[in-house]
Amino acid sequence: MLKLKVNEIDIEVEEGLTVLQACEKAGVEIPRFCYHEKLSIAGNCRMCLVELEKSPKPVASCAMPAAEGMNIKTNTEFVEKARKGVMEFLLANHPLDCPVCDQGGECDLQDQSMFYGVDKSRYKENKRGVSEKNMGPLIKTQMTRCIHCTRCVRFATEIAGVTEIGAIGRGEDMEITTYLEQSMQSELSANVVDLCPVGALTSKPYVFEARPWELKKTESIDVMDAIGSNIRVDTYGWEVKRILPRINEDINEEWISDKTRYACDGLLNQRLDTPYIKYNSKFEKASWKEVFNIIKSKLKNTDKEKVCGISGDLVNMETLFIFKEFFNKTLGSDNIESRSDHTYLNPNKRENYLFNSSINGIEEADFIFLIGTNPRYEATILNARIRKSYVQSKTKIISLNDVGDLTYPYESLDGNIENIKKITEDNHEVSSLIKEAKKPLIIFGQSSLRSKSAKYIFESVKSFLEKNNKISENWNSLNTISEDASTVGCFDLGLYKTVDGSNEVLQDLENHMFEIVYLLGVDNLKFEKKNEFIIYQGSHGDKGAEIADIILPGAAYTEQNGYFTNLEGKMQKAYKASYPPEEAKEDWLIINELAEAMNHRKLFNDKDELDSSMLNQINLFIKKNKSIKSSNVDNLEFKQEILKVNNEDYYYSNAIARASKTMFECKRAKTNLKLTGTEG
């Protein structure tokens, strides 16, 4: 520990900290523009000047290492004069456009100028003018405001792993640009908007929408993937205007993906706001009483074995729980499933479908093996962690498949399943790398679990890891990337029907063995309808609603409270930020009222009772799961197969994203870029 003084107060700090960090430990706030704790130190802005004893000049605190015996002063006239001088230079060329700037009310420069700015400028020359840059459909530029802090450049290079933003020119003529005047090709690109301290980079979809003080701010959880990024939902009346990241060092740090941030405009489009009944291939509006009566009549006159239910990808856990209770208790059926494809599942142990090493644990890994996954599109934030692990520790990364640019270097095999056979038989270089590594990371993607050899791949690799003591309480190398927000919650609640890992309900559905199908927010089901009577409950008029006979309008994730369990098994609560449109209702309430219409008795009296019952079941399941020993799976049959990684369209992965105009613009920008031949 280092002993030093800050404003005549004695403090102790860890070695390796900067003077700025030491001051913050002492509770002293230092103004800054270029410094950011997640980025490398640039020392560009000089706003963080402090006075050091025996130093003739003020010192940039962000770049000065703290040392034993330092006497730091942050509130002297000398420091204030230095900072005012820096602020005068920063404002010399800055346009006085605060009233029309979208950064207004959230601008660091605006805030600091109140402390260190003056009411008059001594700069009488012509101000610098910089043309706007094209950075794609997400980022609006006003580069005359730029103060050359280079936060955006450092983020793109260090965190996102794309060297597409840089500086050209020198001195006053320096400009931040994308060089080729094209869209940033990173799924994290819009984080530069949050990083920009002056309004040079602002959100293009959000431009002139609202002022920060007009918005209601609600803390919530993202559902665009299975990461469970912590977000803040800003609403103006009913409309969700924007989504911003919240800091959670264990999950998303302080970043979110572009889809998380901008797919929210899809909440306004293609919404289901009233019940519908299909007559003669046309949908007609109906009342809740009418649709409940029809469903009741159909269900009462149909054998329970001829009824099935499938849940979707954006459904919260309370709704999943009551959905299961409805089938089990009201209908007396166990034909319920959450998988909309033939993904392999071994539910015997919870670790079989979790990312057991945790997202934060990726940084500790000393070897990473990717099996049938493209984490850049399947789990963008997780991929950023893998890159961070590589940047910090030069972690060796091997992928079974060549999946293109992952923003970090990796070795790829040919995708042949025979490689897995050789690895598990200890006859491959990867076998040695796994055994020699202290904390190896084996990551299964959904493509590997959808393949014909899914059972062989998963179970043989798991057996190999157990044999070599890579699955223990201290470190579990077995990791699965779930693509959907509700996947882990579904498995925890038991929304599946399987004996050997196959999807029995979907097999029977494809063989047209059911008469009534209840789709709960299912929009990614590839199913050719024949004579089935389909009930669809969801928020958007997407693929599921198209094949339905009855539509029950539900609520989106921002319009109801609900728990979601992310891919590493952490349960988090998303809070209600808005409300459903017109006659739409919260999803759990629809199922509860349907149960009452069927049996004259609700499943739960209120939401609190539902929450309590669900949490009790989850806790019992987790407790029971810990006592279960991992069982060996027999009959592992090797089949010659080339594994292909089939990624769903990143920008159109769910109903909300498909309804988003911004996601359409992003998809078009990427398509046009590929047509130029400059994509690399």
Side-chain angles (χ1 to χ4, degrees):
M1 298 291 283
L2 302 173
K3 294 182 179 180
L4 44 88
K5 284 186 177 181
V6 177
N7 297 335
E8 304 302 326
I9 299 171
D10 292 319
I11 64 164
E12 288 189 8
V13 299
E14 301 90 354
E15 291 188 28
L17 295 187
T18 63
V19 170
L20 186 150
Q21 291 169 321
C23 290
E24 288 193 334
K25 289 276 186 180
V28 177
E29 188 176 348
I30 304 291
R32 81 293 299 266
F33 291 117
C34 69
Y35 174 79
H36 192 279
E37 55 272 15
K38 296 292 182 184
L39 305 175
S40 61
I41 294 169
N44 294 330
C45 72
R46 321 307 284 184
M47 196 65 207
C48 63
L49 294 174
V50 296
E51 184 180 353
L52 287 184
E53 194 176 61
K54 297 180 182 179
S55 175
K57 298 187 290 185
V59 174
S61 60
C62 70
M64 174 63 73
E68 181 73 29
M70 272 186 171
N71 189 359
I72 307 161
K73 295 176 182 178
T74 69
N75 54 5
T76 62
E77 285 187 19
F78 182 63
V79 170
E80 189 171 344
K81 186 180 177 182
R83 290 175 182 173
K84 281 185 174 180
V86 171
M87 180 60 70
E88 190 172 10
F89 276 113
L90 291 177
L91 293 175
N93 285 301
H94 198 82
L96 301 175
D97 60 350
C98 294
V100 297
C101 178
D102 264 329
Q103 194 89 342
E106 300 174 313
C107 179
D108 291 346
L109 184 65
Q110 203 175 52
D111 294 341
Q112 297 301 335
S113 66
M114 292 296 291
F115 287 94
Y116 302 105
V118 291
D119 59 347
K120 292 181 182 178
S121 174
R122 293 181 290 171
Y123 188 80
K124 303 300 182 187
E125 288 75 17
N126 290 330
K127 289 197 173 190
R128 175 193 67 189
V130 184
S131 60
E132 291 191 26
K133 313 298 180 186
N134 173 26
M135 291 191 181
L138 303 180
I139 304 167
K140 185 179 186 300
T141 65
Q142 191 76 43
M143 301 314 290
T144 305
R145 299 171 186 159
C146 181
I147 61 170
H148 303 158
C149 71
T150 67
R151 278 187 179 185
C152 54
V153 177
R154 284 175 284 149
F155 173 82
T157 307
E158 297 165 14
I159 308 295
V162 294
T163 54
E164 294 172 346
I165 298 182
I168 57 173
R170 291 178 64 84
E172 192 180 53
D173 297 323
M174 177 177 161
E175 295 182 21
I176 305 295
T177 178
T178 52
Y179 303 118
L180 297 176
E181 293 283 311
Q182 67 184 25
S183 175
M184 276 184 71
Q185 293 305 296
S186 169
E187 294 70 37
L188 296 167
S189 65
N191 286 289
V192 299
V193 173
D194 296 335
L195 288 170
C196 182
V198 298
L201 305 176
T202 53
S203 174
K204 191 176 280 187
Y206 177 68
V207 65
F208 303 139
E209 285 288 326
R211 289 298 194 182
W213 54 85
E214 297 175 319
L215 301 171
K216 176 191 165 191
K217 302 166 179 67
T218 308
E219 295 184 350
S220 193
I221 303 298
D222 172 52
V223 300
M224 292 295 119
D225 53 30
I227 296 294
S229 298
N230 287 216
I231 58 173
R232 193 187 85 195
V233 182
D234 288 0
T235 53
Y236 186 85
W238 174 71
E239 294 184 30
V240 175
K241 288 296 184 183
R242 64 177 182 177
I243 286 177
L244 298 175
R246 287 189 294 125
I247 296 175
N248 186 324
E249 293 295 340
D250 291 335
I251 299 176
N252 59 301
E253 297 182 282
E254 54 191 272
W255 322 119
I256 54 173
S257 69
D258 292 346
K259 185 164 62 176
T260 296
R261 189 185 297 267
Y262 287 119
C264 60
D265 63 337
L267 294 166
L268 301 174
N269 304 322
Q270 291 182 230
R271 291 303 303 270
L272 300 172
D273 56 7
T274 188
Y276 287 94
I277 301 172
K278 187 179 280 183
Y279 292 114
N280 300 322
S281 302
K282 288 185 179 180
F283 285 111
E284 293 185 10
K285 291 183 179 181
S287 67
W288 282 105
K289 189 177 179 180
E290 284 179 282
V291 294
F292 282 165
N293 284 337
I294 293 173
I295 295 171
K296 178 184 176 181
S297 175
K298 288 280 185 181
L299 290 172
K300 290 284 187 184
N301 296 311
T302 306
D303 183 1
K304 65 180 183 180
E305 294 301 321
K306 298 290 183 180
V307 182
C308 77
I310 302 176
S311 64
D313 53 342
L314 308 178
V315 187
N316 61 50
M317 293 185 68
E318 291 93 325
T319 305
L320 293 169
F321 180 65
I322 197 172
F323 188 57
K324 187 188 179 190
E325 292 289 285
F326 175 76
F327 266 79
N328 292 165
K329 294 180 179 178
T330 305
L331 302 181
S333 170
D334 63 348
N335 295 323
I336 189 167
E337 184 56 75
S338 58
R339 295 169 290 170
S340 57
D341 52 35
H342 291 286
T343 304
Y344 172 73
L345 170 66
N346 182 346
N348 295 333
K349 195 85 173 145
R350 195 169 186 243
E351 66 184 13
N352 292 337
Y353 53 82
L354 292 183
F355 198 90
N356 296 290
S357 303
S358 79
I359 298 169
N360 204 25
I362 293 172
E363 296 176 37
E364 301 175 35
D366 49 2
F367 172 66
I368 299 174
F369 183 38
L370 307 174
I371 304 175
T373 180
N374 183 339
R376 181 169 176 177
Y377 298 126
E378 292 175 26
T380 304
I381 297 297
L382 188 145
N383 191 65
R385 287 288 186 133
I386 297 176
R387 171 174 170 77
K388 188 177 179 181
S389 176
Y390 170 77
V391 171
Q392 291 180 345
S393 311
K394 299 298 177 191
T395 308
K396 187 174 181 63
I397 304 165
I398 295 179
S399 174
L400 182 64
N401 305 83
D402 185 355
V403 290
D405 183 17
L406 292 177
T407 71
Y408 45 81
Y410 65 94
E411 293 178 22
S412 63
L413 308 179
D414 57 6
N416 199 321
I417 303 301
E418 195 168 348
N419 287 304
I420 300 294
K421 187 172 186 290
K422 288 178 179 177
I423 292 167
T424 55
E425 292 176 352
D426 208 355
N427 193 26
H428 198 280
E429 63 166 332
V430 174
S431 310
S432 304
L433 290 168
I434 293 172
K435 290 195 293 185
E436 290 167 7
K438 291 181 180 178
K439 292 185 175 180
L441 220 66
I442 314 301
I443 302 177
F444 295 93
Q446 291 301 301
S447 293
S448 66
L449 300 179
R450 292 186 190 119
S451 67
K452 294 176 182 176
S453 308
K455 186 175 181 179
Y456 176 83
I457 294 169
F458 184 86
E459 299 298 346
S460 61
V461 171
K462 184 184 180 183
S463 178
F464 177 77
L465 293 173
E466 287 178 331
K467 195 190 306 178
N468 291 282
N469 300 316
K470 302 302 180 183
I471 298 178
S472 64
E473 289 186 6
N474 298 325
W475 183 262
N476 192 333
S477 298
L478 187 75
N479 298 282
T480 301
I481 293 182
S482 304
E483 290 179 349
D484 302 325
S486 61
T487 298
V488 173
C490 286
F491 295 161
D492 281 352
L493 290 168
L495 269 81
Y496 52 79
K497 186 179 180 182
T498 187
V499 175
D500 60 352
S502 62
N503 192 333
E504 295 177 16
V505 172
L506 186 58
Q507 286 174 2
D508 290 344
L509 180 62
E510 290 172 345
N511 293 326
H512 306 286
M513 295 176 67
F514 296 114
E515 294 178 12
I516 299 176
V517 183
Y518 195 148
L519 301 180
L520 179 62
V522 182
D523 293 293
N524 295 329
L525 183 67
K526 296 179 175 72
F527 165 63
E528 294 294 326
K529 180 185 175 183
K530 281 191 176 180
N531 300 315
E532 294 87 357
F533 182 82
I534 295 180
I535 305 161
Y536 174 80
Q537 179 180 327
S539 59
H540 284 71
D542 202 79
K543 297 175 182 177
E546 289 174 7
I547 61 171
D549 295 285
I550 281 186
I551 293 175
L552 308 176
Y557 75 103
T558 56
E559 297 159 5
Q560 54 190 334
N561 294 326
Y563 286 95
F564 291 92
T565 302
N566 75 345
L567 53 73
E568 58 184 353
K570 286 181 180 174
M571 185 184 287
Q572 304 177 104
K573 190 168 185 177
Y575 289 94
K576 185 175 181 176
S578 182
Y579 46 88
E582 302 292 336
E583 293 184 49
K585 297 180 180 182
E586 294 185 21
D587 289 312
W588 79 272
L589 195 60
I590 296 171
I591 300 169
N592 207 29
E593 289 180 0
L594 178 58
E596 186 181 25
M598 296 255 329
N599 289 345
H600 306 289
R601 182 175 163 271
K602 293 179 178 179
L603 288 166
F604 299 96
N605 293 318
D606 52 35
K607 186 72 180 297
D608 290 339
E609 187 185 341
L610 169 60
D611 281 359
S612 178
S613 296
M614 182 207 65
L615 291 171
N616 283 338
Q617 179 161 323
I618 290 288
N619 290 332
L620 285 170
F621 170 76
I622 293 173
K623 189 177 179 181
K624 181 183 175 184
N625 188 265
K626 287 179 180 177
S627 63
I628 298 173
K629 291 185 178 180
S630 187
S631 58
N632 292 323
V633 178
D634 300 322
N635 304 320
L636 293 181
E637 187 182 346
F638 169 72
K639 294 179 181 177
Q640 196 74 37
E641 185 183 359
I642 302 294
L643 183 63
K644 293 181 179 178
V645 178
N646 299 316
N647 291 312
E648 299 291 330
D649 193 328
Y650 175 75
Y651 294 110
Y652 277 10
S653 60
N654 57 60
I656 297 173
R658 286 191 285 271
S660 167
K661 293 179 181 178
T662 309
M663 293 295 99
F664 169 75
E665 291 295 331
C666 289
K667 186 177 179 179
R668 189 168 68 172
K670 200 147 194 169
T671 305
N672 290 342
L673 179 72
K674 287 183 178 180
L675 294 175
T676 66
T678 60
E679 67 275 14

